[in-house]
Amino acid sequence: MAVFKVEGGHRLKGELTPQGAKNEALQILSAVLLTKERVVIHNVPDILDVIKLIELLERLGVKVEHLGVTGVTGVAAQAAQAATAGLPAGATAQATPVGASAQAVAACTSACISHSYAFCAANIDLDFVRSPEFGKSSAALRGSVMLVGPLLTRFGFAFMPKPGGDKIGRRRLDTHLIGFEKLGAKLDFQHEGSQFELSAKRLKGCYMLLDEASVTGTANIVMAAVLAQGTTTIYNAACEPYLQQLCKMLNRMGAKISGIGSNLLTIEGVDSLGSTEHTILPDMIEVGSFIGLAAMTASEITIKNVAYDQLGIIPDQFRRLGIKIERRGDDIYIPAHERYEIESFMDGSIMTIADAPWPGLTPDLLSVFLVVATQAKGSVLIHQKMFESRLFFVDKLIDMGAQIILCDPHRATIIGHNREFCLRGTRMASPDIRAGIALLIAAMSAKGTSVIENIEQIDRGYQNIDGRLNALGAKIERI
């Protein structure tokens, strides 16, 4: 397995462009199964979770056509295109085209290359859906859970294996399963294969009140309901920008969804959906990661094309840590921070930063807030409400010299060093995607050299992160 060898203490300077949003991509790619017609998707991130889902769609019988790359121009674009020609998706980070100039290769490395694909799900291999190979492949990828809604509503049956993904505590499937049952699906749990089988001749619309505002649960139920008979009303629906993007795409395909952006969705079922073209939003988690990285390493960075109006309270939450953020059109400029001071509440009590369903703060960024606070002036309580094991990486930061008190699985208090003491380089392993990027940020700010193992977790969510940061002055070696 590859590791990152990180030489800390280097300031970065330059521009970064966020990749396409991972969480949106997994929903949008699943939705191509809802129609026989061609669906074109732009700004697809070249990351492991997305690559695996595209490969799974191909094995299901979806015709996948790679239309090209964006993010680089001229010779560099030709080099990137050549690098992917005849290779599986995701090869761009490692592949170097024969005859490509050093300048072109460097441009490919420094840019965030996004991909455009066309999908046609006219001929699905239903025997493969029932096969052990499908169960094994989908179980290894948590995003595969969102294939269930499209398969169930279009073909009348689907399998939901116990999903893989991050080890961040229990991530129950009840919201998905109860929603499908309310739409009329019959549920059968197969203990031997640890999977759920769902079947229905045709789903029927109904009213449902979700027990939690689950993003993937809402997306799955929405995709099932668009082809159901009658009207479905979903209350306590998730309303994240990614879910809004999915609903808007489905409406362009002929679905009838109203209430988009609210927690009350109404879906009038239709008989079929057609073709469309869709562009995935920039990844807000990567935008937030870059903001934290800039502050922690005292770097001057411009983050380009961030879809600022879709970031919600993310910029303001970073400002609570004392980080200066300047909006320039649709870009974000972060000046070099010699110091940054955590605010306190108006009554003088310690600042608390907690996750919450949208429009609250996404839980995927709490690990970044936590690590950035270690070098701030002041103290903050990080409260991870939605997952129970996402703070268990703090022992690695404590080994680096951070002052953190882990109160319980959900809360950690950070006492900032105010840059008076540097973190120390050490050897550590990435337990999940978001902890992985936090550890990388810590290593880049630390004194000395760090080694980060299990970087496949980081690659699942961050495209060519070492190459892009090295182009701005970082010293990260993949070995």
Side-chain angles (χ1 to χ4, degrees):
M1 289 188 177
V3 303
F4 279 155
K5 183 179 179 181
V6 184
E7 183 181 302
H10 295 280
R11 296 193 180 197
L12 281 58
K13 187 179 179 67
E15 297 180 349
L16 286 165
T17 301
Q19 66 192 26
K22 166 185 174 285
N23 292 339
E24 179 185 341
L26 298 176
Q27 297 177 24
I28 295 298
L29 291 172
S30 300
V32 305
L33 291 173
L34 289 167
T35 179
K36 296 180 179 180
E37 299 189 26
R38 192 171 188 255
V39 177
V40 175
I41 304 175
H42 303 291
N43 200 29
V44 178
D46 191 17
I47 55 178
L48 286 180
D49 276 13
V50 170
I51 294 164
K52 288 180 180 179
L53 185 57
I54 292 174
E55 291 174 346
L56 185 56
L57 287 171
E58 285 188 296
R59 296 184 70 187
L60 280 168
V62 178
K63 182 179 178 182
V64 180
E65 181 184 358
H66 185 250
L67 302 179
V69 297
T70 57
V72 288
T73 57
V75 177
Q78 295 173 10
Q81 185 70 52
T84 55
L87 297 173
T92 54
Q94 289 78 33
T96 301
V98 177
S101 68
Q103 180 182 6
V105 173
C108 291
T109 301
S110 62
C112 182
I113 301 170
S114 65
H115 295 254
S116 295
Y117 290 92
F119 300 88
C120 184
N123 299 299
I124 298 301
D125 184 357
L126 299 181
D127 290 333
F128 177 68
V129 177
R130 296 182 173 93
S131 70
E133 291 80 11
F134 174 76
K136 183 178 180 180
S137 298
S138 56
L141 173 66
R142 183 165 185 86
S144 66
V145 73
M146 283 178 288
L147 299 176
V148 175
L151 288 171
L152 177 62
T153 196
R154 183 175 165 195
F155 300 106
F157 76 96
F159 294 93
M160 180 184 286
K162 186 177 180 180
D166 290 331
K167 306 303 180 185
I168 55 177
R170 293 173 297 170
R171 303 175 77 179
R172 59 191 181 89
L173 299 174
D174 300 52
T175 303
H176 304 250
L177 298 171
I178 293 171
F180 295 141
E181 284 188 307
K182 288 185 176 181
L183 290 172
K186 180 182 177 182
L187 174 64
D188 178 32
F189 178 60
Q190 301 177 355
H191 290 276
E192 183 177 344
S194 295
Q195 68 179 9
F196 300 91
E197 180 178 349
L198 295 133
S199 59
K201 291 184 178 179
R202 185 173 184 186
L203 299 178
K204 295 183 179 180
C206 66
Y207 170 86
M208 65 179 77
L209 172 61
L210 302 187
D211 61 338
E212 63 173 350
S214 164
V215 178
T216 55
T218 302
N220 228 345
I221 295 167
V222 166
M223 288 188 285
V226 291
L227 294 179
Q229 184 179 19
T231 299
T232 301
T233 303
I234 307 173
Y235 198 22
N236 195 30
C239 53
E240 272 77 359
Y242 307 143
L243 199 285
Q244 296 177 39
Q245 285 281 96
L246 173 66
C247 291
K248 291 173 183 177
M249 171 183 161
L250 293 173
N251 278 352
R252 291 196 302 273
M253 295 169 70
K256 297 179 179 179
I257 306 171
S258 59
I260 298 173
S262 75
N263 67 347
L264 180 61
L265 295 175
T266 302
I267 303 120
E268 297 179 42
V270 297
D271 291 330
S272 63
L273 297 178
S275 63
T276 193
E277 191 166 344
H278 179 82
T279 300
I280 294 171
L281 285 173
D283 196 317
M284 69 170 72
I285 312 304
E286 194 169 66
V287 172
S289 300
F290 291 155
I291 294 173
L293 168 68
M296 186 75 167
T297 59
S299 300
E300 181 183 354
I301 290 177
T302 299
I303 311 170
K304 304 289 289 182
N305 303 321
V306 300
Y308 192 96
D309 292 333
Q310 302 296 325
L311 295 178
I313 66 171
I314 290 172
D316 285 338
Q317 291 292 78
F318 276 107
R319 291 185 180 103
R320 288 177 133 188
L321 294 185
I323 298 171
K324 295 179 175 64
I325 298 174
E326 181 181 333
R327 180 177 182 177
R328 296 180 175 179
D330 208 30
D331 302 339
I332 288 176
Y333 170 72
I334 311 294
H337 286 70
E338 301 301 330
R339 295 282 193 277
Y340 49 98
E341 183 174 355
I342 300 170
E343 296 178 359
S344 57
F345 286 118
M346 291 182 180
D347 63 359
S349 59
I350 185 173
M351 176 61 62
T352 299
I353 293 180
D355 59 341
W358 189 268
L361 181 65
T362 170
D364 287 344
L365 276 176
L366 280 192
S367 58
V368 174
F369 279 95
L370 189 152
V371 73
V372 172
T374 63
Q375 287 302 314
K377 180 181 179 181
S379 301
V380 64
L381 174 68
I382 299 293
H383 192 173
Q384 169 64 269
K385 299 177 181 178
M386 298 172 68
F387 299 102
E388 62 191 13
S389 304
R390 264 191 165 162
L391 298 182
F392 285 170
F393 74 101
V394 301
D395 61 324
K396 301 170 180 62
L397 298 177
I398 293 171
D399 289 344
M400 299 177 77
Q403 296 187 43
I404 303 173
I405 302 168
L406 184 60
C407 309
D408 55 45
H410 294 277
R411 296 178 300 162
T413 300
I414 300 91
I415 299 94
H417 283 312
N418 193 24
R419 295 204 192 278
E420 293 176 2
F421 305 98
C422 288
L423 298 181
R424 302 181 297 268
T426 188
R427 191 176 192 96
M428 47 198 163
S430 170
D432 63 72
I433 300 174
R434 308 310 175 186
I437 197 67
L439 293 176
L440 179 60
I441 293 171
M444 291 175 64
S445 73
K447 183 178 181 179
T449 299
S450 298
V451 174
I452 304 176
E453 301 172 344
N454 198 27
I455 61 171
E456 289 79 8
Q457 289 284 4
I458 302 174
D459 288 336
R460 285 179 51 215
Y462 293 86
Q463 175 178 323
N464 187 27
I465 191 66
D466 49 330
R468 294 158 68 195
L469 296 180
N470 284 342
L472 271 63
K475 300 293 182 182
I476 307 169
E477 184 181 0
R478 185 185 292 260
I479 56 177

